[in-house]
Amino acid sequence: MDTNTWILVLVVAAMLAAALLAAVVLMVRLVRTRRDLRRAGLPTGPRWVFWGAVAYVVLPTDLLPDPAYFDDIAVLLLALRSMRTSSDPLR
């Protein structure tokens, strides 16, 4: 393989690694948010939101079959948003 092919392979691998890292960081934030809300005695929203997001990220099936984790990131972001809005004291 020539140099351009190796560069392309490295760029694609870096993009996939960045997407995986983003999914892991969001998963950690989701778990920490739920733990902090429970410690504070605030409602964490419907339990199925949290466990559904965790299951979607962990299980190998996807709604959008793609080599990256973009749909997993979207599910985690929606779960985080849902949990934070359900614990909003103004609601």
Side-chain angles (χ1 to χ4, degrees), residues 16-17 22-23 28 35 76 87:
L16 290 175
V28 168
R35 185 185 60 215
L76 289 171
S87 68

Side-chain angles (χ1 to χ4, degrees), residues 74-89:
V75 167
L76 289 171
L77 284 172
L78 288 173
L80 257 173
R81 180 174 171 234
S82 173
M83 287 177 62
R84 289 189 184 212
T85 58
S86 71
S87 68
D88 188 11

Side-chain angles (χ1 to χ4, degrees), residues 55-88:
Y56 186 80
V57 171
V58 173
L59 294 175
T61 55
D62 279 342
L63 289 176
L64 302 170
D66 57 351
Y69 297 93
F70 299 125
D71 54 337
D72 298 334
I73 291 170
V75 167
L76 289 171
L77 284 172
L78 288 173
L80 257 173
R81 180 174 171 234
S82 173
M83 287 177 62
R84 289 189 184 212
T85 58
S86 71
S87 68
D88 188 11

Side-chain angles (χ1 to χ4, degrees), residues 5-87:
T5 306
W6 280 110
I7 291 173
L8 180 64
V9 168
L10 289 175
V11 167
V12 169
M15 289 176 57
L16 290 175
L20 177 62
L21 180 65
V24 169
V25 166
L26 286 172
M27 183 71 159
V28 168
R29 284 185 67 186
L30 180 70
V31 170
R32 285 184 181 167
T33 299
R34 182 173 187 266
R35 185 185 60 215
D36 291 342
L37 290 173
R38 290 188 75 188
R39 277 190 192 150
L42 296 172
T44 57
R47 290 180 186 223
W48 65 268
V49 171
F50 174 78
W51 290 113
V54 170
Y56 186 80
V57 171
V58 173
L59 294 175
T61 55
D62 279 342
L63 289 176
L64 302 170
D66 57 351
Y69 297 93
F70 299 125
D71 54 337
D72 298 334
I73 291 170
V75 167
L76 289 171
L77 284 172
L78 288 173
L80 257 173
R81 180 174 171 234
S82 173
M83 287 177 62
R84 289 189 184 212
T85 58
S86 71
S87 68

